[in-house]
Amino acid sequence: MNQMTWVRGVNATLGRVAPQLIASRLRERFMTPRTSSPRDWELPLLASSERITLRFGLSALRWGSGPTVLLMHGWEGRPTQFALLIRGLVDAGYGVVALDAPAHGRSPGREANVVLFARALLEAASELPPLRAVIGHSMGGASALLATQMGLRSETLVTIAAPSRILGLLRGFARFMGLPAEARAHFVRQVEKTAGIPAAHLDVQRYQLELPGLVVHAEDDPVVPVSEADLIHKAWFDSQLLRLPAGGHQRLLSDPLLLQAVLELLEQVPQASLKALAS
């Protein structure tokens, strides 16, 4: 019996005996990110960055100058995972700011969720020049979509390997961890209480998305199914869809086709409304 099988068995047993208790433990685990160190290939980019701290304590890295592109990594991710995009954007004349999400990197906090990610984007946008683009990977993409419903303003938006709805992720995690039905329901309610919003509302099909954008996903993503990209694209009338044949959930960040598609989007969308964004 491997460790995961044993964990699921324990969770199933406790889920029947004490569903609220095990749900509470799983909620804490679900919302507490683990620390991950940069890989060797990320270190040169990290060394070339400028570390900045925003007004309420969020930490970020900055490169280059020019129209601002704001990046948000995914759960347990890092800004420097966007290395190819960052270099390409800077070479093309853009200034890039990549956030450490709440409870990640040098940003404060112990727990995080998609709503806190979205609020972090809003905080950053309030201190930066008008945004030419916001680019989010995985939960970072989901939070960018949510942030537009909370007032985030940007010329364009790019989601990479993002889920279209959060409720499915919550239920999938609870099933994967072996929780029985009652404990799963408690888990979802506790996550909703912590985030301060019903999970069913965190669904792109409920959103009004009025900016041009790009939806990117790999066909072989084992974490977030590529069908999620189709749902986002369908709900977002002014989006383009790029389905990469391979790249998994992380490797697609280093695919040259991703960089090419992002740069083409920025070239297609005029900058005439940047002054309006600042007003």
Side-chain angles (χ1 to χ4, degrees):
M1 179 184 298
N2 62 39
Q3 183 178 6
M4 198 62 234
T5 301
W6 181 83
V7 168
R8 291 191 188 104
V10 171
N11 288 342
T13 300
L14 290 177
R16 288 187 292 270
V17 175
Q20 292 191 25
L21 175 62
I22 191 63
S24 176
R25 291 180 179 176
L26 263 293
R27 185 215 60 79
E28 181 178 4
R29 174 175 175 179
F30 183 77
M31 290 186 162
T32 305
R34 296 167 297 181
T35 301
S36 57
S37 300
R39 305 289 179 86
D40 289 345
W41 56 267
E42 298 172 58
L43 296 178
L45 186 68
L46 183 62
S48 69
S49 67
E50 175 191 2
R51 174 70 66 176
I52 60 175
T53 302
L54 302 180
R55 185 185 311 125
F56 298 108
L58 279 174
S59 186
L61 299 176
R62 181 163 57 193
W63 297 264
S65 59
T68 303
V69 178
L70 179 61
L71 306 182
M72 177 62 92
H73 60 74
W75 186 253
E76 297 179 346
R78 304 173 300 279
T80 45
Q81 288 176 306
F82 290 106
L84 178 77
L85 271 177
I86 292 168
R87 291 192 180 99
L89 287 165
V90 170
D91 289 345
Y94 296 96
V96 177
V97 175
L99 292 176
D100 278 343
H104 290 71
R106 297 190 187 180
S107 287
R110 179 176 176 272
E111 294 186 357
N113 56 66
V114 68
V115 177
L116 291 179
F117 271 50
R119 288 175 180 164
L121 287 169
L122 291 169
E123 177 187 332
S126 72
E127 296 192 44
L128 296 172
L131 298 178
R132 182 71 176 123
V134 175
I135 302 176
H137 172 242
S138 193
M139 184 183 283
S143 69
L145 291 167
L146 174 61
T148 65
Q149 308 306 292
M150 300 166 67
L152 179 68
R153 304 179 77 182
S154 174
E155 282 282 323
T156 57
L157 175 65
V158 180
T159 67
I160 307 168
S164 69
R165 52 187 180 258
I166 300 301
L167 185 57
L169 287 181
L170 297 179
R171 288 172 173 168
F173 175 78
R175 288 193 188 96
F176 176 76
M177 297 303 296
L179 295 188
E182 183 180 356
R184 288 200 302 269
H186 283 298
F187 168 74
V188 171
R189 284 196 291 269
Q190 290 185 26
V191 170
E192 291 175 327
K193 182 178 180 180
T194 302
I197 187 170
H201 289 185
L202 302 171
D203 185 336
V204 71
Q205 296 182 68
R206 290 174 170 260
Y207 298 169
Q208 295 293 321
L209 297 168
E210 299 177 351
L211 72 173
L214 173 67
V215 181
V216 184
H217 219 108
E219 301 277 357
D220 62 348
D221 190 327
V223 178
V224 179
V226 70
S227 57
E228 294 290 285
D230 296 327
L231 291 171
I232 295 173
H233 178 53
K234 183 178 179 180
W236 187 359
F237 79 96
D238 200 8
S239 68
Q240 303 171 37
L241 176 63
L242 173 62
R243 288 177 57 152
L244 299 170
H249 193 62
Q250 302 281 355
R251 296 191 317 278
L252 81 168
L253 291 173
S254 60
D255 192 319
L257 291 176
L258 168 62
L259 173 60
Q260 178 183 334
V262 169
L263 293 177
E264 288 177 354
L265 173 69
L266 294 176
E267 290 171 1
Q268 292 165 8
V269 177
Q271 299 187 47
S273 60
L274 281 175
K275 290 183 180 179
L277 283 176
S279 62

